[in-house]
Amino acid sequence: MSDQIEKTLEHIQEQLYLIQLQQGLQERVLGCLLRGLARHPDLLDDVENEFHALADAMKQTNPELLDVVLPYIERLTKRE
């Protein structure tokens, strides 16, 4: 039984690592897209409005995610 638990734990750790890698990649891709959009302020404003609409919709359906989503959106939409 102990071997099975250990294998399950290793599998969960591997999956968590892959999810973290995927999230990091997604953040970098979105960052690249937003930096590209920064050259077009009207489009960037539209994208930012869509992010805030997403947050507002989440407030209704998944309010527990707002603590994660709002800082993420602010990081992505940070203008330099």
Side-chain angles (χ1 to χ4, degrees):
M1 185 69 162
S2 179
D3 287 341
Q4 176 126 9
I5 293 171
E6 190 173 314
K7 286 181 182 179
T8 301
L9 180 59
E10 286 175 9
H11 178 72
I12 290 170
Q13 288 172 332
E14 288 172 9
Q15 292 298 317
L16 179 59
Y17 178 71
L18 290 174
I19 289 169
Q20 289 170 332
L21 285 176
Q22 183 180 28
Q23 180 183 4
L25 177 61
Q26 289 171 347
E27 285 183 17
R28 288 182 179 165
V29 167
L30 282 173
C32 289
L33 290 171
L34 290 171
R35 282 190 298 279
L37 285 173
R39 297 184 199 118
H40 306 280
D42 293 344
L43 287 175
L44 188 58
D45 288 341
D46 289 345
V47 170
E48 191 170 348
N49 290 338
E50 288 296 324
F51 279 140
H52 289 292
L54 173 66
D56 289 342
M58 279 188 167
K59 195 182 301 182
Q60 302 298 319
T61 58
N62 301 89
E64 68 277 4
L65 293 178
L66 285 179
D67 292 339
V68 175
V69 170
L70 291 178
Y72 181 71
I73 288 173
E74 290 199 15
R75 236 183 16 237
L76 289 175
T77 57
K78 180 180 168 186
R79 298 185 191 205
E80 297 173 3

